[in-house]
Amino acid sequence: MKNLWKKIYGGLVVSFLLLTLPLSVWAEKVILLHTNDIHCGVEDNIGLAKVAQYKKDLLKETPYVALVDAGDAVQGAPVGKLSGGMSVVKMMNAAGYDFLIPGNHEFDYGMEQFFKLAKKQKTGYYSANFVNLPTNKLVLPPYKMMTFGKKKIAFLGATTPSTFINSTPQFFQNEKGQFIYGFCEDKEGTKLYNQLQKYIDQARGEGADYVVLVAHLGSDGSIPVWSSEAVIKNTTGIDVLIDGHSHELYEREVFNKKGEKVLLAQTGTKMKSVGKVEINDNGQITATLIKELKDADPGVLKVIAKENKRFEKILNNPMGETLVDLTIDDPVTGERRIRNGETNLGDLVADAYRNVLKTDVAMINGGGIRVNLAKGTLTYNDLLAAFPFGNMCAVVDCTGQQILDALEMGAANYPEENGGFFQVSGLTYTIDSKIPSTVKMDDKGNFVSVAGVRRVKDVMVNGQPLDPQGDYTVGGVTYILKSGGNGMTMFRDAVLLSDGDISDVDAINEFIKTHLNGKVKEGYEKPEGQGRIKILQ
């Protein structure tokens, strides 16, 4: 009987210890939190402070937590531009990032400033394919080995070879115009695959149980051979690929060169979500995109407030003046018009893009223009209120047919509102509302084709009929021209000439200052615009 009680009592003690011991003593689940393409949007959506607090909360449950970012954090809003990215570096340091890579826009302030940013980042930057061409040596460390209990994880960095297109080429050249930096670029993608495979194998050789590739490569709209999926399909040894660059939200599995599953995840942009990857004891890897968090880290909030205050005076400084009310509304009804008709603010913005980007035409989705600009002094903050998305400008080379399809798609819902309704510069067009729309879309609302008679007609480019087979440069925002926003898939096959060289607000500001001598007046007096869009009722 005594032996029986000993067994029972002993079992109860063991059970009690198992229940009361911290999870980390008997389980080694590793949690990886990840962000990408923050573009200075530290207070947008979830916000950086909440992500930082979430990491702290998880660390109370297990010591095996890491926070990583897949690039394009320091550019995209005034606080980034005015500080050369340094304010965002301070914010990310406060948030407690463990691993960072440079996206293409980390280089937007020039190479000298990039190295300053890299030095100030507590964890530094990593990239396995950023090469000094004269020495053929890596500019940055390729990976970082971290230990989580018994698990060793190698975090490997990769930066898109399209950085040359998406940033300023001169930054990577010497005074003779010769490229002195490279990203393992070639037409086939082989150099990139081989380079990454080299360091995957090296990390495995050093004892890595898992390899997590943190990459600024992208999927939709990215150059196919340099996309995240292409890298997975042409390599082995990657367990997880945390992605960026294309501003998408996804978590899916892709088969590698050996037919093994690799988890691929991306969180969108501007803190739309935070990714959570869990590597369990049994080797199972799962992923979740989290779009809501409750609590914010007060220390991070304090740093953000301090950095914002540094530029408060600059943001409130006058940037120009408008002598007329610039509106998105109908002058008669007072209802919003920017999404189903022309307005003077729409004309102004389209003119800004066409002139600053130096294109044949400009096409601006009405949904990207949010509030009126009242007569009087214009500040940077006023422009940010009207254009709050932090959109970056883009230029594509496309056919007249692609322009026709885009205009037709934009007018498909008329007279109902459509965020993809186009305000234009350099062209005029007519919508015959008596003709029902024959635009065909897929189940996600993306443009497929025009099945019948078109309701958009009489399209003129700088006074000449648009040629469907002609070649035109179009200025606008990456959301439309690169990412296919508002279902504008017709631009996916266009040649991307410029991507992210200037933000929408900066382009508008430059147009007002340089082209209008600081004052908006002649040509923009009519709230209904200059008659670029005619609608037949």
Side-chain angles (χ1 to χ4, degrees):
M1 191 71 176
K2 287 182 179 180
N3 289 335
L4 178 61
W5 277 110
K6 283 182 180 179
K7 287 181 181 180
I8 295 173
Y9 179 73
L12 289 171
V13 169
V14 171
S15 298
F16 175 75
L17 287 171
L18 287 174
L19 288 171
T20 56
L21 284 173
L23 180 65
S24 58
V25 172
W26 56 275
E28 290 188 357
K29 178 173 70 174
V30 179
I31 300 174
L32 309 179
L33 300 178
H34 61 96
T35 58
N36 62 270
D37 297 277
I38 294 174
H39 285 296
C40 302
V42 293
E43 296 179 281
D44 295 341
N45 300 300
I46 288 179
L48 185 62
K50 288 185 178 180
V51 172
Q53 185 61 48
Y54 186 48
K55 180 189 176 185
K56 286 185 176 181
D57 293 341
L58 290 173
L59 283 169
K60 294 175 184 176
E61 303 173 12
T62 172
Y64 308 132
V65 182
L67 175 60
V68 307
D69 183 77
D72 277 10
V74 302
Q75 174 268 9
V79 70
K81 181 174 181 178
L82 296 173
S83 68
M86 198 60 74
S87 288
V88 182
V89 168
K90 294 177 182 178
M91 297 170 189
M92 297 185 81
N93 282 339
Y97 276 87
D98 299 288
F99 185 82
L100 299 163
I101 70 163
N104 50 287
H105 289 300
E106 259 69 45
F107 299 98
D108 281 0
Y109 306 117
M111 199 59 69
E112 182 180 350
Q113 184 65 13
F114 168 76
F115 287 120
K116 289 181 180 179
L117 297 176
K119 189 176 181 179
K120 291 293 183 181
Q121 287 281 18
K122 287 182 179 178
T123 186
Y125 285 120
Y126 294 80
S127 180
N129 66 308
F130 181 28
V131 179
N132 182 305
L133 297 178
T135 64
N136 199 33
K137 293 182 179 179
L138 289 181
V139 178
L140 302 169
Y143 58 86
K144 179 180 183 179
M145 195 78 77
M146 296 182 68
T147 301
F148 302 88
K150 296 179 181 179
K151 294 184 179 72
K152 292 180 72 174
I153 299 179
F155 292 90
L156 181 71
T159 305
T160 175
S162 67
T163 295
F164 291 135
I165 300 171
N166 300 327
S167 191
T168 304
Q170 288 84 353
F171 292 162
F172 308 99
Q173 301 171 349
N174 61 17
E175 63 278 0
K176 296 180 181 178
Q178 300 167 325
F179 280 97
I180 56 174
Y181 296 104
F183 295 90
C184 300
E185 63 282 348
D186 64 6
K187 291 182 180 180
E188 297 77 23
T190 306
K191 284 186 178 180
L192 179 63
Y193 312 147
N194 290 344
Q195 180 79 352
L196 296 179
Q197 189 67 65
K198 172 183 175 181
Y199 289 105
I200 294 167
D201 295 342
Q202 182 173 307
R204 291 286 186 182
E206 291 180 11
D209 298 300
Y210 297 90
V211 173
V212 176
L213 178 59
V214 183
H216 197 77
L217 296 172
S219 181
D220 190 21
S222 300
I223 294 175
V225 297
W226 299 330
S227 69
S228 52
E229 290 196 12
V231 164
I232 292 173
K233 291 174 181 177
N234 288 278
T235 58
T236 60
I238 299 170
D239 296 289
V240 179
L241 197 160
I242 291 171
D243 200 14
H245 189 47
S246 54
H247 297 191
E248 298 172 87
L249 289 96
Y250 50 66
E251 46 193 15
R252 58 177 181 259
E253 291 179 326
V254 179
F255 291 100
N256 70 7
K257 198 174 181 179
K258 288 185 177 179
E260 301 162 330
K261 290 181 179 179
V262 177
L263 177 66
L264 173 63
Q266 188 180 169
T267 66
T269 183
K270 296 276 188 179
M271 308 297 292
K272 285 183 179 178
S273 70
V274 58
K276 182 182 182 182
V277 174
E278 298 184 51
I279 303 176
N280 296 308
D281 265 354
N282 61 5
Q284 182 184 17
I285 302 174
T286 58
T288 309
L289 293 180
I290 299 169
K291 298 180 181 179
E292 289 186 13
L293 291 171
K294 291 183 178 179
D295 301 320
D297 184 317
V300 177
L301 288 175
K302 186 176 180 180
V303 173
I304 292 172
K306 180 180 178 181
E307 292 303 309
N308 284 338
K309 190 169 181 61
R310 288 178 56 199
F311 307 108
E312 192 172 45
K313 290 183 179 179
I314 296 174
L315 291 173
N316 290 328
N317 279 343
M319 308 300 288
E321 183 182 7
T322 176
L323 304 183
V324 298
D325 287 326
L326 297 167
T327 184
I328 64 172
D329 299 329
D330 187 289
V332 177
T333 65
E335 296 180 357
R336 185 167 59 187
R337 175 185 167 101
I338 195 82
R339 300 183 185 207
N340 58 7
E342 183 181 350
T343 78
N344 59 353
L345 183 52
D347 285 353
L348 176 74
V349 176
D351 287 347
Y353 289 5
R354 183 170 64 89
N355 283 275
V356 172
L357 300 175
K358 298 178 173 59
T359 57
D360 297 320
V361 301
M363 301 173 66
I364 310 303
N365 57 309
I369 308 173
R370 309 299 286 191
V371 300
N372 301 323
L373 293 175
K375 184 190 302 182
T377 301
L378 293 173
T379 67
Y380 218 153
N381 272 341
D382 291 329
L383 294 180
L384 287 172
F387 310 97
F389 299 110
N391 281 317
M392 303 305 295
C393 294
V395 176
V396 297
D397 188 297
C398 68
T399 65
Q401 187 62 56
Q402 289 169 306
I403 294 174
L404 286 173
D405 289 342
L407 293 173
E408 192 73 22
M409 180 70 169
N413 289 356
Y414 186 87
E416 300 300 322
E417 287 191 337
N418 181 0
F421 185 93
F422 282 111
Q423 306 292 315
V424 296
S425 178
L427 68 78
T428 59
Y429 66 101
T430 298
I431 301 171
D432 190 340
S433 64
K434 297 187 295 297
I435 299 175
S437 174
T438 58
V439 169
K440 297 298 181 184
M441 292 176 272
D442 63 19
D443 57 0
K444 294 180 176 59
N446 292 313
F447 175 85
V448 174
S449 64
V450 180
V453 179
R454 291 174 179 262
R455 58 186 352 203
V456 171
K457 55 186 179 181
D458 300 331
V459 182
M460 307 288 285
V461 175
N462 296 313
Q464 299 297 319
L466 180 140
D467 178 4
Q469 282 73 50
D471 191 57
Y472 302 91
T473 55
V474 178
V477 294
T478 56
Y479 172 68
I480 296 291
L481 299 179
K482 177 184 174 184
S483 302
N486 292 129
M488 301 296 169
T489 56
M490 69 288 298
F491 290 117
R492 286 180 179 171
D493 295 327
V495 178
L496 190 63
L497 299 178
S498 172
D499 174 23
D501 290 342
I502 190 171
S503 71
D504 51 3
V505 169
D506 286 345
I508 296 162
N509 182 42
E510 181 177 327
F511 177 67
I512 294 172
K513 278 189 169 183
T514 305
H515 297 267
L516 302 181
N517 296 318
K519 294 183 186 293
V520 180
K521 44 184 179 178
E522 289 90 353
Y524 301 103
E525 299 91 345
K526 297 180 180 180
E528 67 275 19
Q530 300 175 11
R532 301 172 186 180
I533 305 171
K534 295 180 181 179
I535 298 176
L536 303 179
Q537 302 292 349

